Amino acid sequence: MKYLVRDKMLAIGDDYWIEDEEGRHAFLVDGKALRFRDTLELKDPDGQILITLREKLFTLRDAMTLERDERRLAVIRRKRLSLLRNHFRVTLAEGTELDVSGRILDREFKVEYDGELLALISRQWYRVRETYAVDVVREDADAALLIAVAVCVIRMAEKEREGGVSPDGVPGP
């Protein structure tokens, strides 16, 4: 199932809908303004919070946590020693790890578990600028989790770029 994300709306305080491939509202991303740290909520169409995305504070390396029902679901960090491409590791609460790699800032990357493709994130399916799709490949995969992962790694890569560090981890000018 493909989900359409309109990228331009990713500012804190902005809310935006993620649509399914038939154009129906599938998820609402609710940006929480005036918070000490970066916080978003991924909600279902009825307004129920599915996953909360939070920036982790006071860590040596940037990290974001995903929470479900006020319990930690996952932590997302940049993977060490990734010189050629953007690489992030998602560590789920039970210890399982997902690998996120590709051109994050170009919105061309994938999410894998143990070499198996779970989701493909790409702009190639849409001609509309500032739009990308999250294609959840496995039917039994948690679509909300994979969308939250995509939103988080894009946010983290953009913050690195704004902070003078290239997406490859090299200090900028």
Side-chain angles (χ1 to χ4, degrees):
M1 168 77 73
K2 286 185 185 141
Y3 297 92
L4 176 68
V5 182
R6 288 194 172 79
D7 211 15
K8 204 166 193 159
M9 307 293 227
L10 288 177
I12 289 295
D14 287 345
D15 299 345
Y16 61 94
W17 283 100
I18 295 173
E19 299 170 351
D20 66 16
E21 51 197 341
E22 270 119 52
R24 294 182 302 238
H25 290 169
F27 301 100
L28 174 67
V29 177
D30 185 357
K32 297 298 180 186
L34 304 173
R35 297 272 174 110
F36 182 59
R37 60 184 176 174
D38 203 354
T39 303
L40 300 167
E41 293 174 342
L42 186 65
K43 298 179 177 181
D44 69 13
D46 296 325
Q48 178 147 1
I49 299 170
L50 301 173
I51 297 178
T52 302
L53 301 73
R54 294 185 205 280
E55 179 181 34
K56 261 189 119 167
L57 295 178
F58 311 115
T59 59
L60 293 175
R61 293 180 17 217
D62 285 340
M64 289 191 80
T65 60
L66 303 179
E67 298 170 2
R68 181 175 277 154
D69 299 326
E70 298 184 20
R71 286 204 232 112
R72 186 168 66 188
L73 176 63
V75 176
I76 302 172
R77 288 187 173 89
R78 171 171 286 289
K79 195 171 182 179
R80 290 184 189 170
L81 303 173
S82 57
L83 299 175
L84 300 177
R85 297 166 49 158
N86 286 187
H87 233 99
F88 289 84
R89 176 173 288 135
V90 181
T91 306
L92 300 176
E94 75 272 1
T96 303
E97 290 187 349
L98 306 180
D99 189 53
V100 180
S101 64
R103 296 184 327 269
I104 308 293
L105 293 173
D106 293 333
R107 309 316 188 250
E108 298 292 336
F109 60 96
K110 60 188 174 181
V111 180
E112 296 177 304
Y113 167 68
D114 203 22
E116 181 184 354
L117 183 65
L118 298 178
L120 187 61
I121 292 76
S122 180
R123 282 193 169 145
Q124 73 181 5
W125 295 299
Y126 297 99
R127 299 195 190 285
V128 180
R129 193 177 173 119
E130 306 300 333
T131 301
Y132 65 93
V134 177
D135 185 9
V136 178
V137 177
R138 285 189 46 170
E139 288 183 29
D140 63 340
D142 183 344
L145 172 63
L146 294 171
I147 289 168
V149 166
V151 169
C152 281
V153 297
I154 289 169
R155 210 169 186 78
M156 292 171 74
E158 286 179 343
K159 282 183 111 174
E160 281 181 6
R161 180 180 60 189
E162 291 167 8
V165 177
S166 78
D168 295 327
V170 179

